[in-house]
Short mmCIF file of all heavy atoms in Angstrom, two decimals:
data_model
loop_
_atom_site.label_atom_id
_atom_site.label_comp_id
_atom_site.label_asym_id
_atom_site.label_seq_id
_atom_site.Cartn_x
_atom_site.Cartn_y
_atom_site.Cartn_z
N ILE A 1 -131.46 213.65 130.22
CA ILE A 1 -131.55 214.29 128.91
C ILE A 1 -132.54 213.52 128.04
O ILE A 1 -132.71 212.31 128.18
CB ILE A 1 -130.17 214.37 128.24
CG1 ILE A 1 -130.18 215.38 127.08
CG2 ILE A 1 -129.67 213.01 127.79
CD1 ILE A 1 -128.79 215.77 126.61
N SER A 2 -133.20 214.22 127.14
CA SER A 2 -134.17 213.59 126.25
C SER A 2 -133.45 212.78 125.17
O SER A 2 -132.22 212.69 125.17
CB SER A 2 -135.07 214.67 125.63
OG SER A 2 -136.11 214.07 124.88
N GLY A 3 -134.21 212.20 124.27
CA GLY A 3 -133.64 211.34 123.24
C GLY A 3 -133.87 211.88 121.85
O GLY A 3 -134.25 211.12 120.94
N GLU A 4 -133.64 213.15 121.69
CA GLU A 4 -133.78 213.77 120.36
C GLU A 4 -132.42 213.82 119.67
O GLU A 4 -131.37 213.80 120.33
CB GLU A 4 -134.33 215.19 120.50
CG GLU A 4 -135.69 215.27 121.19
CD GLU A 4 -136.79 214.53 120.45
OE1 GLU A 4 -136.68 214.39 119.21
OE2 GLU A 4 -137.74 214.08 121.10
N PRO A 5 -132.38 213.90 118.34
CA PRO A 5 -131.11 213.93 117.63
C PRO A 5 -130.15 215.01 118.13
O PRO A 5 -128.95 214.78 118.27
CB PRO A 5 -131.52 214.17 116.17
CG PRO A 5 -132.86 213.52 116.07
CD PRO A 5 -133.52 213.81 117.39
N ARG A 6 -130.68 216.21 118.42
CA ARG A 6 -129.80 217.29 118.89
C ARG A 6 -129.12 216.91 120.19
O ARG A 6 -127.98 217.31 120.46
CB ARG A 6 -130.60 218.59 119.10
CG ARG A 6 -131.66 218.46 120.17
CD ARG A 6 -132.12 219.79 120.78
NE ARG A 6 -132.89 219.48 121.97
CZ ARG A 6 -134.22 219.36 122.00
NH1 ARG A 6 -134.92 219.54 120.90
NH2 ARG A 6 -134.84 219.05 123.12
N ASP A 7 -129.81 216.12 121.03
CA ASP A 7 -129.27 215.73 122.33
C ASP A 7 -128.09 214.79 122.17
O ASP A 7 -127.08 214.92 122.86
CB ASP A 7 -130.36 215.09 123.19
CG ASP A 7 -131.55 216.00 123.41
OD1 ASP A 7 -131.33 217.21 123.62
OD2 ASP A 7 -132.70 215.52 123.35
N LEU A 8 -128.21 213.81 121.26
CA LEU A 8 -127.11 212.89 121.05
C LEU A 8 -125.91 213.61 120.44
O LEU A 8 -124.77 213.36 120.82
CB LEU A 8 -127.55 211.73 120.16
CG LEU A 8 -126.49 210.66 119.89
CD1 LEU A 8 -125.89 210.11 121.18
CD2 LEU A 8 -127.06 209.53 119.04
N LEU A 9 -126.16 214.52 119.50
CA LEU A 9 -125.05 215.30 118.94
C LEU A 9 -124.34 216.10 120.03
O LEU A 9 -123.10 216.15 120.08
CB LEU A 9 -125.59 216.26 117.86
CG LEU A 9 -125.99 215.63 116.52
CD1 LEU A 9 -126.74 216.64 115.68
CD2 LEU A 9 -124.75 215.14 115.78
N PHE A 10 -125.11 216.70 120.91
CA PHE A 10 -124.55 217.49 122.02
C PHE A 10 -123.68 216.62 122.92
O PHE A 10 -122.56 216.99 123.29
CB PHE A 10 -125.71 218.12 122.80
CG PHE A 10 -125.31 218.99 123.95
CD1 PHE A 10 -124.29 219.92 123.86
CD2 PHE A 10 -126.00 218.89 125.16
CE1 PHE A 10 -123.95 220.73 124.93
CE2 PHE A 10 -125.68 219.71 126.24
CZ PHE A 10 -124.65 220.62 126.12
N MET A 11 -124.17 215.44 123.26
CA MET A 11 -123.42 214.55 124.12
C MET A 11 -122.13 214.08 123.43
O MET A 11 -121.05 214.10 124.03
CB MET A 11 -124.29 213.36 124.52
CG MET A 11 -125.55 213.71 125.29
SD MET A 11 -125.27 214.20 126.99
CE MET A 11 -125.47 212.61 127.82
N ARG A 12 -122.26 213.66 122.18
CA ARG A 12 -121.08 213.18 121.45
C ARG A 12 -120.02 214.26 121.32
O ARG A 12 -118.81 213.99 121.45
CB ARG A 12 -121.49 212.69 120.06
CG ARG A 12 -120.30 212.35 119.14
CD ARG A 12 -119.47 211.22 119.72
NE ARG A 12 -118.24 210.99 118.96
CZ ARG A 12 -117.08 211.57 119.19
NH1 ARG A 12 -116.94 212.47 120.17
NH2 ARG A 12 -116.01 211.27 118.47
N GLU A 13 -120.43 215.48 121.09
CA GLU A 13 -119.46 216.57 120.91
C GLU A 13 -118.85 217.03 122.23
O GLU A 13 -117.92 217.85 122.23
CB GLU A 13 -120.15 217.74 120.20
CG GLU A 13 -120.48 217.43 118.74
CD GLU A 13 -121.35 218.49 118.09
OE1 GLU A 13 -121.70 219.47 118.79
OE2 GLU A 13 -121.69 218.32 116.91
N SER A 14 -119.32 216.47 123.34
CA SER A 14 -118.84 216.90 124.66
C SER A 14 -117.77 215.97 125.23
O SER A 14 -117.27 216.22 126.33
CB SER A 14 -120.02 216.95 125.64
OG SER A 14 -121.00 217.88 125.20
N ILE A 15 -117.42 214.89 124.52
CA ILE A 15 -116.43 213.94 125.04
C ILE A 15 -115.13 214.03 124.24
O ILE A 15 -115.12 214.55 123.12
CB ILE A 15 -116.97 212.50 125.04
CG1 ILE A 15 -117.23 212.00 123.61
CG2 ILE A 15 -118.25 212.41 125.88
CD1 ILE A 15 -117.61 210.52 123.53
N PRO A 16 -114.03 213.54 124.79
CA PRO A 16 -112.75 213.62 124.08
C PRO A 16 -112.76 212.85 122.77
O PRO A 16 -113.49 211.87 122.60
CB PRO A 16 -111.76 212.98 125.07
CG PRO A 16 -112.40 213.09 126.41
CD PRO A 16 -113.88 212.98 126.15
N ALA A 17 -111.91 213.28 121.85
CA ALA A 17 -111.85 212.65 120.53
C ALA A 17 -111.42 211.20 120.60
O ALA A 17 -111.80 210.39 119.74
CB ALA A 17 -110.91 213.44 119.62
N ASP A 18 -110.62 210.85 121.61
CA ASP A 18 -110.13 209.47 121.68
C ASP A 18 -111.05 208.55 122.48
O ASP A 18 -110.75 207.36 122.66
CB ASP A 18 -108.72 209.43 122.28
CG ASP A 18 -108.67 209.85 123.74
OD1 ASP A 18 -109.65 210.44 124.23
OD2 ASP A 18 -107.64 209.57 124.39
N ALA A 19 -112.17 209.08 122.96
CA ALA A 19 -113.11 208.26 123.73
C ALA A 19 -113.99 207.44 122.81
O ALA A 19 -114.34 207.87 121.70
CB ALA A 19 -113.97 209.15 124.62
N THR A 20 -114.38 206.26 123.27
CA THR A 20 -115.40 205.48 122.59
C THR A 20 -116.73 205.71 123.29
O THR A 20 -116.77 206.16 124.44
CB THR A 20 -115.06 203.98 122.59
OG1 THR A 20 -114.76 203.56 123.92
CG2 THR A 20 -113.89 203.68 121.69
N TRP A 21 -117.82 205.42 122.59
CA TRP A 21 -119.13 205.67 123.19
C TRP A 21 -120.19 204.73 122.65
O TRP A 21 -120.12 204.26 121.52
CB TRP A 21 -119.57 207.12 123.00
CG TRP A 21 -119.66 207.58 121.57
CD1 TRP A 21 -118.63 208.00 120.77
CD2 TRP A 21 -120.84 207.66 120.76
NE1 TRP A 21 -119.11 208.34 119.52
CE2 TRP A 21 -120.45 208.15 119.49
CE3 TRP A 21 -122.20 207.38 120.99
CZ2 TRP A 21 -121.37 208.37 118.45
CZ3 TRP A 21 -123.11 207.59 119.96
CH2 TRP A 21 -122.69 208.08 118.71
N THR A 22 -121.16 204.50 123.51
CA THR A 22 -122.35 203.70 123.21
C THR A 22 -123.57 204.58 123.49
O THR A 22 -123.52 205.44 124.38
CB THR A 22 -122.38 202.45 124.12
OG1 THR A 22 -121.33 201.58 123.73
CG2 THR A 22 -123.70 201.72 124.04
N VAL A 23 -124.63 204.37 122.74
CA VAL A 23 -125.88 205.08 123.04
C VAL A 23 -126.98 204.08 123.36
O VAL A 23 -127.10 203.03 122.72
CB VAL A 23 -126.32 206.02 121.89
CG1 VAL A 23 -126.59 205.27 120.60
CG2 VAL A 23 -127.53 206.84 122.30
N ALA A 24 -127.74 204.41 124.40
CA ALA A 24 -128.90 203.61 124.81
C ALA A 24 -130.11 204.53 124.87
O ALA A 24 -130.08 205.53 125.59
CB ALA A 24 -128.64 202.98 126.18
N GLY A 25 -131.13 204.22 124.12
CA GLY A 25 -132.37 205.01 124.16
C GLY A 25 -133.42 204.26 124.96
O GLY A 25 -133.63 203.06 124.75
N VAL A 26 -134.06 204.95 125.87
CA VAL A 26 -135.06 204.32 126.73
C VAL A 26 -136.44 204.38 126.09
O VAL A 26 -136.84 205.42 125.55
CB VAL A 26 -135.06 204.99 128.12
CG1 VAL A 26 -136.19 204.46 128.98
CG2 VAL A 26 -133.72 204.75 128.80
N GLY A 27 -137.17 203.25 126.14
CA GLY A 27 -138.53 203.22 125.60
C GLY A 27 -138.55 203.53 124.12
O GLY A 27 -137.80 202.96 123.33
N ARG A 28 -139.42 204.47 123.74
CA ARG A 28 -139.59 204.78 122.31
C ARG A 28 -138.35 205.39 121.68
O ARG A 28 -138.26 205.49 120.45
CB ARG A 28 -140.79 205.72 122.14
CG ARG A 28 -140.60 207.10 122.76
CD ARG A 28 -141.88 207.91 122.66
NE ARG A 28 -141.78 209.22 123.29
CZ ARG A 28 -141.31 210.30 122.69
NH1 ARG A 28 -140.88 210.24 121.43
NH2 ARG A 28 -141.26 211.45 123.34
N TYR A 29 -137.40 205.81 122.50
CA TYR A 29 -136.17 206.40 121.96
C TYR A 29 -135.14 205.36 121.53
O TYR A 29 -134.13 205.71 120.92
CB TYR A 29 -135.52 207.33 123.00
CG TYR A 29 -136.32 208.56 123.33
CD1 TYR A 29 -136.86 208.73 124.60
CD2 TYR A 29 -136.54 209.56 122.39
CE1 TYR A 29 -137.61 209.87 124.92
CE2 TYR A 29 -137.27 210.70 122.69
CZ TYR A 29 -137.80 210.84 123.96
OH TYR A 29 -138.53 211.96 124.26
N GLU A 30 -135.38 204.08 121.87
CA GLU A 30 -134.32 203.09 121.65
C GLU A 30 -133.87 203.03 120.20
O GLU A 30 -132.68 203.24 119.90
CB GLU A 30 -134.78 201.70 122.11
CG GLU A 30 -133.66 200.66 121.97
CD GLU A 30 -133.98 199.38 122.71
OE1 GLU A 30 -134.80 198.58 122.22
OE2 GLU A 30 -133.40 199.17 123.79
N PHE A 31 -134.76 202.73 119.30
CA PHE A 31 -134.32 202.51 117.92
C PHE A 31 -133.97 203.81 117.18
O PHE A 31 -133.00 203.80 116.40
CB PHE A 31 -135.32 201.63 117.18
CG PHE A 31 -135.27 200.21 117.66
CD1 PHE A 31 -136.28 199.69 118.46
CD2 PHE A 31 -134.18 199.41 117.38
CE1 PHE A 31 -136.21 198.39 118.94
CE2 PHE A 31 -134.09 198.11 117.86
CZ PHE A 31 -135.11 197.59 118.65
N PRO A 32 -134.65 204.93 117.39
CA PRO A 32 -134.15 206.17 116.80
C PRO A 32 -132.74 206.52 117.25
O PRO A 32 -131.89 206.94 116.45
CB PRO A 32 -135.16 207.22 117.27
CG PRO A 32 -136.43 206.45 117.46
CD PRO A 32 -135.99 205.12 118.00
N MET A 33 -132.45 206.34 118.55
CA MET A 33 -131.13 206.69 119.06
C MET A 33 -130.05 205.74 118.55
O MET A 33 -128.95 206.17 118.19
CB MET A 33 -131.13 206.71 120.58
CG MET A 33 -131.80 207.94 121.19
SD MET A 33 -130.91 209.50 120.86
CE MET A 33 -131.73 210.08 119.35
N ILE A 34 -130.35 204.42 118.50
CA ILE A 34 -129.30 203.53 118.02
C ILE A 34 -129.06 203.71 116.53
O ILE A 34 -127.92 203.59 116.06
CB ILE A 34 -129.56 202.05 118.38
CG1 ILE A 34 -130.70 201.47 117.56
CG2 ILE A 34 -129.76 201.87 119.87
CD1 ILE A 34 -130.64 199.96 117.46
N THR A 35 -130.10 204.06 115.78
CA THR A 35 -129.92 204.32 114.35
C THR A 35 -128.98 205.50 114.15
O THR A 35 -128.04 205.44 113.34
CB THR A 35 -131.27 204.59 113.67
OG1 THR A 35 -132.12 203.45 113.84
CG2 THR A 35 -131.09 204.86 112.18
N MET A 36 -129.20 206.54 114.92
CA MET A 36 -128.34 207.72 114.83
C MET A 36 -126.93 207.38 115.30
O MET A 36 -125.94 207.81 114.70
CB MET A 36 -128.93 208.85 115.65
CG MET A 36 -128.26 210.19 115.43
SD MET A 36 -129.21 211.51 116.18
CE MET A 36 -128.04 212.86 115.98
N GLY A 37 -126.83 206.59 116.38
CA GLY A 37 -125.52 206.20 116.87
C GLY A 37 -124.73 205.40 115.85
O GLY A 37 -123.52 205.59 115.69
N ILE A 38 -125.40 204.50 115.14
CA ILE A 38 -124.75 203.71 114.10
C ILE A 38 -124.20 204.63 113.01
O ILE A 38 -123.06 204.49 112.57
CB ILE A 38 -125.73 202.68 113.51
CG1 ILE A 38 -126.06 201.60 114.55
CG2 ILE A 38 -125.17 202.04 112.24
CD1 ILE A 38 -127.27 200.75 114.21
N LEU A 39 -125.00 205.59 112.58
CA LEU A 39 -124.58 206.52 111.54
C LEU A 39 -123.42 207.40 111.97
O LEU A 39 -122.57 207.77 111.16
CB LEU A 39 -125.76 207.40 111.13
CG LEU A 39 -126.85 206.74 110.28
CD1 LEU A 39 -128.08 207.63 110.21
CD2 LEU A 39 -126.32 206.45 108.87
N MET A 40 -123.37 207.73 113.26
CA MET A 40 -122.35 208.64 113.78
C MET A 40 -121.05 207.92 114.14
O MET A 40 -120.09 208.55 114.56
CB MET A 40 -122.88 209.37 115.02
CG MET A 40 -123.97 210.38 114.71
SD MET A 40 -124.77 211.01 116.22
CE MET A 40 -123.38 211.81 117.05
N GLY A 41 -121.02 206.59 114.00
CA GLY A 41 -119.80 205.86 114.29
C GLY A 41 -119.67 205.40 115.73
O GLY A 41 -118.59 204.92 116.13
N GLY A 42 -120.74 205.53 116.51
CA GLY A 42 -120.72 205.05 117.89
C GLY A 42 -121.12 203.59 117.98
O GLY A 42 -121.22 202.88 116.97
N HIS A 43 -121.37 203.16 119.19
CA HIS A 43 -121.82 201.79 119.45
C HIS A 43 -123.19 201.87 120.10
O HIS A 43 -123.66 202.96 120.45
CB HIS A 43 -120.78 201.06 120.31
CG HIS A 43 -119.41 201.10 119.70
ND1 HIS A 43 -119.08 200.37 118.58
CD2 HIS A 43 -118.32 201.84 120.01
CE1 HIS A 43 -117.84 200.62 118.24
NE2 HIS A 43 -117.34 201.51 119.09
N VAL A 44 -123.86 200.72 120.27
CA VAL A 44 -125.27 200.77 120.67
C VAL A 44 -125.60 199.74 121.75
O VAL A 44 -124.95 198.71 121.88
CB VAL A 44 -126.21 200.58 119.46
CG1 VAL A 44 -125.96 201.65 118.40
CG2 VAL A 44 -126.07 199.18 118.86
N ARG A 45 -126.65 200.07 122.50
CA ARG A 45 -127.18 199.16 123.52
C ARG A 45 -128.68 199.01 123.33
O ARG A 45 -129.39 200.00 123.14
CB ARG A 45 -126.89 199.72 124.92
CG ARG A 45 -127.37 198.83 126.04
CD ARG A 45 -126.96 199.38 127.41
NE ARG A 45 -128.10 199.99 128.10
CZ ARG A 45 -128.06 200.37 129.37
NH1 ARG A 45 -126.96 200.22 130.09
NH2 ARG A 45 -129.13 200.90 129.94
N VAL A 46 -129.14 197.76 123.38
CA VAL A 46 -130.57 197.46 123.34
C VAL A 46 -130.85 196.39 124.39
O VAL A 46 -129.94 195.72 124.88
CB VAL A 46 -131.03 196.97 121.95
CG1 VAL A 46 -130.87 198.06 120.90
CG2 VAL A 46 -130.29 195.70 121.54
N GLY A 47 -132.11 196.21 124.73
CA GLY A 47 -132.47 195.16 125.67
C GLY A 47 -133.61 195.54 126.57
O GLY A 47 -134.03 196.70 126.64
#
């Protein structure tokens, strides 16, 4: 899947409410995706 905002929303809305989640964006998607993940209440991966 790509690293656009709609994609992260789609993924987040597809998991159970009691699940925790982390987002990792590859290459140029890293910091846009983690910024969105932080705002959405998820967790983040960088490296």
Side-chain angles (χ1 to χ4, degrees):
I1 196 165
S2 187
E4 301 298 333
R6 63 159 192 266
D7 302 319
L8 182 54
L9 286 169
F10 181 44
M11 299 287 267
R12 172 62 187 91
E13 291 171 0
S14 300
I15 65 173
D18 67 345
T20 51
W21 58 279
T22 290
V23 61
V26 174
R28 65 185 178 86
Y29 294 114
E30 183 167 77
F31 289 106
M33 284 294 93
I34 71 157
T35 300
M36 191 169 171
I38 291 165
L39 286 168
M40 291 170 62
H43 305 288
V44 301
R45 181 175 105 170
V46 296

